[in-house]
Amino acid sequence: MKFFNKEVKIALVAICGLVILFFGMNFLKGLNLFSSANIYYISFKDISGLSSSSPIYADGYQVGVVKGIKYDYENATGDIMVEADIDKQLRIPKGSSAEIVSDMLGNVKINLLLATNPRERVMPGETIQGGINDGALGQMKGMIPTVIQILPKIDSIVASINTLLANPAIANSMQNVETITGNLTVTSRRLNNLLANLESSVPGMMNRTDSVLQNANTLTNNLKDIDVAGTVARVDATLANMEKFTAQLNNNQGTLGLLMRDPTLYNNLNSTMRSADSLLTDLKAHPKRYVHFSLFGRKDN
């Protein structure tokens, strides 16, 4: 009886197919059974969709894959332990951590956050603390309650805006704005014309200004030629004469002083004026007493 009969050949082919399928499935999952890698454990409170063969990155470069996931039933905290198959060439500093990141398409990966500790390192088989980085999706999740609260207010604001826009006063206001804009355009045009006229008049104005300045210079030169000292001296002489005249008026010995201060002279002048007035009155009433004129000689009264 031959050993390699038909049944043995079928069994060997089946075993080879299973081996190829096993290695092919691990290869498709990203697991390389012949690679030199270290096993690390990452502790998570929530793996958030993480699965076996999920990639592990460090600084944007893939350094390993998730080999397995198990729940820590023995620990009271109930952490989820992720078995990470990481390249031996990667040196993980002490104090490093890991985070689970999900993109917009739902792909989940682990990012190693390497610490800056050149002296100490995490040894293979040790545990690294992990967390979840929701990224933009997490921020959007946190904003959802606020957005839900704002939506009714936004609806109210939109309704108010629609009511306001439906008001015919808005259309009238827009027409008024258009009219005002046209008026402003006309005003601007007139201002431009006025400025152009002013610019054309500026040279003449400057010439007149130069003429005024020349006249002012001439007047200044004439003022410089005036004998100010002589004029002041004459004014002082005039003031001295006025003081002398005032002193004479105040003196009782002079004629003007006596005339202004002596009542006797005033009374005599007043009496003389009254006598002269009486004489003129009598002369008008009896002119014949004072004038005798006759062609035939004088007659005795």
Side-chain angles (χ1 to χ4, degrees), residues 30-43 56 63-70 81-90 92 112 121-128:
L31 299 175
N32 191 353
L33 299 177
F34 300 102
S35 64
S36 57
N38 291 328
I39 301 298
Y40 295 88
Y41 295 95
I42 305 174
S43 177
I56 300 175
V63 294
V65 294
V66 175
K67 190 173 182 180
I69 300 173
K70 66 178 181 177
M81 303 302 295
V82 175
E83 184 179 355
D85 191 3
I86 298 176
D87 193 346
K88 286 184 177 181
Q89 296 181 1
L90 178 64
I92 302 177
L112 290 177
R121 60 175 292 187
V122 179
M123 302 305 294
E126 293 184 349
T127 302
I128 301 172

Side-chain angles (χ1 to χ4, degrees), residues 12-196:
L12 291 175
V13 171
I15 293 172
C16 291
L18 292 174
V19 172
I20 293 172
L21 179 63
F22 175 75
F23 284 103
M25 292 295 295
N26 287 323
F27 178 77
L28 293 176
K29 290 180 179 180
L31 299 175
N32 191 353
L33 299 177
F34 300 102
S35 64
S36 57
N38 291 328
I39 301 298
Y40 295 88
Y41 295 95
I42 305 174
S43 177
F44 291 99
K45 296 293 184 182
D46 184 1
I47 58 175
S48 184
L50 187 69
S51 62
S52 298
S53 73
S54 294
I56 300 175
Y57 290 88
D59 298 330
Y61 180 79
Q62 185 174 354
V63 294
V65 294
V66 175
K67 190 173 182 180
I69 300 173
K70 66 178 181 177
Y71 189 82
D72 189 4
Y73 293 99
E74 297 178 358
N75 194 345
T77 58
D79 291 343
I80 300 174
M81 303 302 295
V82 175
E83 184 179 355
D85 191 3
I86 298 176
D87 193 346
K88 286 184 177 181
Q89 296 181 1
L90 178 64
R91 183 181 181 278
I92 302 177
K94 201 78 172 178
S96 300
S97 61
E99 62 180 7
I100 297 175
V101 181
S102 300
D103 58 15
M104 299 293 292
L105 299 178
N107 298 320
V108 182
K109 64 180 180 179
I110 294 178
N111 281 337
L112 290 177
L113 305 177
L114 302 178
T116 57
N117 187 359
R119 296 184 179 181
E120 298 179 317
R121 60 175 292 187
V122 179
M123 302 305 294
E126 293 184 349
T127 302
I128 301 172
Q129 293 297 323
I132 296 177
N133 183 2
D134 292 332
L137 291 176
Q139 295 178 0
M140 292 178 64
K141 290 178 182 178
M143 293 174 60
I144 288 175
T146 305
V147 173
I148 292 175
Q149 294 178 358
I150 293 175
L151 284 177
K153 297 181 180 179
I154 293 176
D155 292 338
S156 177
I157 292 172
V158 171
S160 300
I161 292 174
N162 290 331
T163 303
L164 181 63
L165 293 176
N167 193 343
I170 298 295
N172 295 331
S173 299
M174 295 301 294
Q175 292 179 357
N176 293 333
V177 169
E178 184 177 0
T179 303
I180 292 171
T181 303
N183 294 332
L184 288 175
T185 302
V186 175
T187 304
S188 300
R189 189 181 300 112
R190 292 178 178 176
L191 285 174
N192 291 330
N193 294 332
L194 179 60
L195 291 174

Side-chain angles (χ1 to χ4, degrees), residues 154-279:
I154 293 176
D155 292 338
S156 177
I157 292 172
V158 171
S160 300
I161 292 174
N162 290 331
T163 303
L164 181 63
L165 293 176
N167 193 343
I170 298 295
N172 295 331
S173 299
M174 295 301 294
Q175 292 179 357
N176 293 333
V177 169
E178 184 177 0
T179 303
I180 292 171
T181 303
N183 294 332
L184 288 175
T185 302
V186 175
T187 304
S188 300
R189 189 181 300 112
R190 292 178 178 176
L191 285 174
N192 291 330
N193 294 332
L194 179 60
L195 291 174
N197 294 330
L198 287 176
E199 289 179 356
S200 61
S201 302
V202 165
M205 294 174 63
M206 294 300 294
N207 293 331
R208 288 193 290 272
T209 302
D210 293 338
S211 177
V212 171
L213 291 176
Q214 291 177 358
N215 294 332
N217 292 330
T218 302
L219 177 61
T220 303
N221 295 329
N222 293 333
L223 290 174
K224 289 169 60 179
D225 296 336
I226 294 175
D227 187 6
V228 178
T231 302
V232 172
R234 288 192 291 272
V235 171
D236 291 339
T238 302
L239 291 175
N241 293 331
M242 290 296 296
E243 290 179 357
K244 183 177 180 181
F245 180 71
T246 304
Q248 290 178 357
L249 289 177
N250 292 326
N251 190 0
N252 295 331
Q253 301 301 323
T255 303
L256 292 176
L258 291 175
L259 182 63
M260 294 178 64
R261 296 178 179 274
D262 191 359
T264 302
L265 180 59
Y266 170 76
N267 293 330
N268 291 334
L269 288 174
N270 194 15
S271 178
T272 303
M273 292 300 294
R274 283 198 299 271
S275 298
D277 184 57
S278 298
L279 179 60

